[in-house]
Structure formats: C-alpha cells, structure tokens
Amino acid sequence: MQEQLTTEKVILEERQGEAVDLPGTNGHGKKLYVESYGCQMNFSDSEIVASVLIKDGFQTTRIMEEADVIMVNTCAIRDNAEQRVRGRLDEFRRVKKTNPDLVVGVMGCMAERLKTKLLDEDKLVDIVVGPDSYRDLPNLVRVAETGQKAVNVLLSREETYADIAPVRLGGNGISAFISITRGCDNMCTFCVVPFTRGRERSRDSESIVEEARQLFADGYREVTLLGQNVDSYLWGGGGLKKDILAKGDLTGTVSFAELMERVAQVSPLLRVRFSTSHPKDLSDDVLHVMAKYRNVCSYIHLPVQSGNSRVLDLMNRGYTREWYLQRIQRIRELVPECGISTDTISGFCTETEEEHQDTLSIIEAAQFDFAYMFKYSERPGTLAAKKLEDDVPEEVKGRRLQEVIDLQMRLSEESNRRDIGKTFEVLIEGPSRKSPDFLQGRNTQNKVIVFPRENFEKGQYVNVLVQDCTSATLKGVAVR
Ligand code: SF4
C-alpha cells in the first residue's frame, strides 16, 4: 500500500460528543488535537489513538490553539511527506508560544523511521511514538507533562488493536475504515513500510465482523477493509501463518475471501470495499466473492508499479508483467464491470527508456480507470537505497512521470465517457464539494457521481443516470 495519499491536512474531531471522565484517568477533559497525513491506514490509526486518549479522559478539539496535547500522524513514504510535517511543527511552535504547557507528539511512520533523531532534530517534540505503541500514549503523555521526552517505537508481531473500538473522527458518517492487517512482509525494495510498520499480522476475524455490525447499527453504509496487503490476510489455525501455509493445513483458519464474505453477510445494505490488493496474492476466491455479493463493490486497487518484468524484479514485487496482465484478464472475466485503479513509479533505479515504454503499454493494456502516479523517491533504509543506484536523472523521472499522467488522464476521461447514458446505484455521501444544491456519492466502481439534491439524503442509495463527465467525476440526474 503506497497509494491514496491525501496531502491535505485533515483535522480529526470526535463525532460522538462529550468525552468520558473516568476515575484514575489522567485527562480530566484536557483537549487533544490530532492531525493526520498519509495513507488510509494512518487515518484509521488516528481513530485508535483518539479512542485510547478519550478513554483516558481527553476530549478532542479541531482548534489547535485550544489543545493541551497535539498529536500529528505522519507518513514516511516520500521525502516531501516528511518535509510537510516539519512545516507543521513550525506551526505548532507558534501555538506553544501562547501555551508553554502544550505537549507535542509525532506518531506514525516518520516517528518510527527517525525514532529519537526527531528529538535531536527539533526540541519542540515531546513524544515520539510508533504505529504499534499507541496503547502506551496515556503513559507517554504523563511523562511528557513532567517536562521529560517520551519515546516508544517498539514494533510488535502481535499488536492489531482488535479490542480497541476506533472513535470515528471527521468522515461523513457513511463510510468507515476497518483495519484487518498491520505491517507487511513483502519487502518491496523501494518501500519503507516494512521498517516503519513491522511484520505482517492479521486481526481476529470475529472482531472485524463485529466492528462492521456495529458500524451498520450506527448508520454507516460502507466499510473499507484496510491493510498493506489485504489478500494475504489469514486468521486462526493456532500458529504462525508461515507454518500454517508450509503445512498446507488451513483447518480453522479464515482467509481474506472468507472474511469478506462474512462482512458482506452483515447486511445487503452495507457496501464492502477493500484496499490494498497485491497482484501476487489476489486470488480467484476473492473475485468469486465479489461476483457473488452485490454489496461487495466491483472495484479493485491493484498496484502495478512498473510494466517491465526486469524492473519488477528489482523492486522485488514478486510478479512479472505477464502475471499482472493475467490477473487483470481474470478480474475482467469473473467481475466484468469491475473498476480497476493502480499505482505506478516512474524512473526507478536503472529503468531504461524501453522499460518506461513497457509501463506506458501496460497502462494502455489494462485500461485503468484511474491511478496514483509517482516518480521514484529514494528512501533511506530501504533495500533499494542500500543496494541499487538512484541513477535516473530527476528531469528524466519528471518527463516519464508526465507521460504516464498524460496517458492515464486520457484513459480516465475515456472510461468516464463510456459511462454516459448508463445508470448506476450511488451511495450518497453528502453535499458535493462545489455546491450545496448537489449531492455526491460513488458507484460500486468507486467513481464519484454528482447530481441535483432534490429531496435525497446522505446514506441513501439512489439510481443516477450519467449525462456528462470530466476525467475525475461523473455528472447525472437521479432516476426512479
Ligand atoms: S512493501 Fe510492498 S506491499 Fe508492502 S506496503 Fe510496501 S509497497 Fe506495499
């Protein structure tokens, strides 16, 4: 999972009203301000963090100047993501001038990557906490309130926070994330995630189904099952996954396809999405479940990264160009109307012009509906940084990336143009960004559709006839 990065600042505020004042808790109504950057996993983690600290007596606030504790959830996937956080620390420094007791904490992947170096780098930082240590936050805050620095960056092989009910922050009250795995064992050579989020582990399947039931009861109508590589989810069997797979005895285990089927059975009115898939692990079983359940959305995000097998091998992606295209063909066979998106990296170490052309041609062949497109950014500590030379000049990386973007923009526009005249069932998520007279939602293929509000409400399903489009959005009218 590298994609779906949101660069905009998202301030999280508790939706459920007053914080609880528990005996022995430290917070006593102190104010917590949380800012999140990076992937969906980080947003889901921030809801765990809010839950842990609200249980300790904190309240959340959207107003930085009101905060007693500021926690920023960070991404380390590219250098500019980390520079962004350093910019925010300057903003928090301004707040600290008016509130000297303010506690500032850095959490997430940048915290895990840099550890105590962050304290040396910036004296403003009081707490550094990694993705597996959020249970320890009440204690870390107590230490920081005494003026000492507090650090916990221990990675775990077990931690899944399965027993912590996330406090839904921000969001639209209709769609929610449910994390099903943590960490990643894939070791793609360009990626920091295995070093910042640790070894892969799957969460108890019953706790996931129960969370989906609770969300449905609370009015949510869509859940996204989250993991760095959801396809390798495997719960149970009373042992380590690798031993279970080595024995080949899956008795008592729950695979990703089985988990998704159980979540889909919560209610036909609950849409089920998942992210992120890995081409080497995406099974036909998953595709069969998608075809069998109308409420399992027909959309897959399947990062390809490169269209050339030599480059894929250097990236340690575990599949070839041919394997990837075979997976795309299988998706089209078993889930004909499936929306497909991807990730690409341009200018990876030693990538030649011909190999760049292979990326362009695989995008053309796969006909993606949209993509997250990046140029290679070497990350310290990754296998590529240690073993491969970042030898493609920046201007060449930029030019190749632009060619990929231009191609994908054309394909996205063509994909949306093909939808004009079709009617889609849309789950209404809220008012359109541009006008309160319009509502927006997504179809099962994960495409955004905007249409006149009439008397419809968010959370409703409505059929919309598509009449026009841009490369990013479909426009239509509700039909009964
Ligand atoms: S190592 Fe590979 S599969 Fe795992 S998070 Fe990184 S890019 Fe995704």
Side-chain angles (χ1 to χ4, degrees):
M1 174 190 275
Q2 285 221 327
E3 74 326 317
Q4 293 173 337
L5 288 182
T6 58
T7 51
E8 97 252 16
K9 174 177 71 180
V10 174
I11 302 167
L12 307 179
E13 179 178 8
E14 182 194 346
R15 284 168 51 80
Q16 276 85 6
E18 289 314 304
V20 290
D21 193 357
L22 298 170
T25 59
N26 174 42
H28 295 306
K30 284 183 180 167
K31 294 273 173 62
L32 168 69
Y33 172 89
V34 180
E35 229 172 70
S36 263
Y37 297 88
C39 66
Q40 296 164 330
M41 208 67 195
N42 258 6
F43 290 87
S44 172
D45 280 357
S46 293
E47 297 182 336
I48 296 284
V49 165
S51 182
V52 168
L53 288 172
I54 286 169
K55 195 151 178 275
D56 191 56
F58 278 84
Q59 293 175 353
T60 56
T61 175
R62 295 181 69 95
I63 304 163
M64 213 187 317
E65 289 71 16
E66 277 186 4
D68 300 289
V69 173
I70 291 180
M71 294 300 299
V72 58
N73 202 348
T74 62
C75 171
I77 220 80
R78 262 166 286 281
D79 186 53
N80 59 10
E82 294 191 347
Q83 293 315 330
R84 178 99 214 237
V85 171
R86 291 188 176 93
R88 295 308 296 154
L89 290 174
D90 289 337
E91 183 63 14
F92 305 154
R93 205 180 317 284
R94 179 185 61 72
V95 177
K96 179 116 182 174
K97 286 208 180 83
T98 54
N99 173 8
D101 297 333
L102 176 68
V103 167
V104 175
V106 177
M107 55 185 178
C109 293
M110 183 181 176
E112 189 65 45
R113 191 178 82 77
L114 293 172
K115 300 181 170 56
T116 51
K117 284 200 210 96
L118 261 174
L119 300 175
D120 308 334
E121 189 188 300
D122 194 328
K123 297 288 175 256
L124 176 78
V125 178
D126 303 304
I127 298 174
V128 176
V129 56
D132 286 348
S133 307
Y134 296 148
R135 284 178 200 274
D136 194 25
L137 269 167
N139 167 50
L140 296 171
V141 169
R142 271 190 277 282
V143 171
E145 285 173 337
T146 67
Q148 296 169 67
K149 301 297 182 182
V151 177
N152 188 340
V153 287
L154 287 176
L155 286 174
S156 158
R157 282 180 177 274
E158 282 84 38
E159 183 62 88
T160 64
Y161 302 117
D163 60 323
I164 297 179
V167 169
R168 303 295 162 180
L169 297 163
N172 56 21
I174 300 299
S175 309
F177 298 133
I178 302 181
S179 81
I180 67 169
T181 67
R182 296 185 70 81
C184 188
D185 289 348
N186 284 324
M187 303 309 279
C188 301
T189 55
F190 53 79
C191 185
V192 289
V193 171
F195 307 98
T196 60
R197 284 185 167 274
R199 294 283 68 71
E200 181 194 287
R201 64 226 97 128
S202 296
R203 180 180 157 193
D204 173 341
S205 56
E206 201 31 54
S207 73
I208 296 167
V209 177
E210 185 44 40
E211 189 173 332
R213 281 197 204 103
Q214 190 53 53
L215 284 164
F216 186 74
D218 293 344
Y220 286 82
R221 289 294 171 268
E222 181 179 87
V223 292
T224 300
L225 306 179
L226 270 188
Q228 314 296 149
N229 174 6
V230 290
D231 297 294
S232 65
Y233 175 91
L234 187 71
W235 171 252
L240 284 178
K241 181 177 149 186
K242 64 179 172 46
D243 303 336
I244 295 167
L245 293 176
K247 263 190 294 162
D249 173 8
L250 297 178
T251 318
T253 64
V254 180
S255 70
F256 179 53
E258 288 156 348
L259 173 72
M260 191 147 69
E261 180 153 25
R262 293 181 187 186
V263 175
Q265 289 166 343
V266 166
S267 166
L269 294 177
L270 182 69
R271 276 186 172 181
V272 182
R273 296 186 186 277
F274 55 93
S275 184
T276 295
S277 279
H278 196 296
K280 72 176 171 54
D281 297 320
L282 176 65
S283 69
D284 283 8
D285 292 351
V286 167
L287 301 178
H288 288 304
V289 170
M290 292 175 75
K292 181 177 172 189
Y293 290 87
R294 194 168 170 283
N295 59 321
V296 174
C297 293
S298 301
Y299 165 69
I300 292 181
H301 182 67
L302 198 65
V304 66
Q305 306 297 9
S306 167
N308 175 270
S309 295
R310 185 191 75 88
V311 175
L312 287 170
D313 187 42
L314 279 183
M315 289 176 165
N316 190 31
R317 288 292 288 169
Y319 56 85
T320 60
R321 174 188 175 90
E322 293 69 29
W323 171 271
Y324 186 89
L325 286 172
Q326 188 274 341
R327 287 287 86 197
I328 294 288
Q329 188 192 337
R330 197 67 181 133
I331 295 171
R332 301 255 187 252
E333 282 164 12
L334 296 177
V335 192
E337 296 303 310
C338 196
I340 306 178
S341 62
T342 197
D343 296 352
T344 61
I345 295 177
S346 295
F348 187 65
C349 311
T350 72
E351 181 192 66
T352 66
E353 198 53 36
E354 291 70 40
E355 291 163 345
H356 163 58
Q357 293 302 323
D358 287 342
T359 298
L360 293 173
S361 66
I362 206 169
I363 293 173
E364 187 85 47
Q367 291 284 307
F368 297 115
D369 297 293
F370 61 91
Y372 298 85
M373 300 157 280
F374 304 97
K375 58 183 175 177
Y376 176 57
S377 162
E378 184 182 84
R379 303 305 292 141
T382 58
L383 298 173
K386 290 179 189 146
K387 297 189 179 151
L388 303 171
E389 199 196 338
D390 182 9
D391 60 354
V392 178
E394 274 308 307
E395 68 278 4
V396 175
K397 285 182 186 178
R399 190 259 305 158
R400 289 179 184 172
L401 174 59
Q402 194 53 52
E403 287 175 8
V404 167
I405 291 173
D406 295 345
L407 168 60
Q408 185 55 54
M409 291 292 279
R410 173 172 65 76
L411 295 176
S412 296
E413 173 102 20
E414 287 169 4
S415 165
N416 280 354
R417 286 222 163 279
R418 284 194 295 273
D419 289 335
I420 293 177
K422 292 181 184 169
T423 297
F424 292 102
E425 183 187 67
V426 172
L427 171 58
I428 304 173
E429 292 169 11
S432 97
R433 291 200 183 149
K434 293 213 174 96
S435 157
D437 303 330
F438 286 77
L439 291 172
Q440 74 169 52
R442 285 168 292 144
N443 63 7
T444 188
Q445 286 84 6
N446 205 32
K447 287 189 176 178
V448 174
I449 303 187
V450 173
F451 59 98
R453 171 184 287 278
E454 297 178 40
N455 52 10
F456 292 105
E457 297 293 333
K458 82 172 182 183
Q460 288 179 324
Y461 287 97
V462 57
N463 291 324
V464 176
L465 167 64
V466 177
Q467 298 174 319
D468 195 2
C469 70
T470 66
S471 64
T473 308
L474 299 174
K475 300 174 183 172
V477 288
V479 290
R480 288 175 178 77

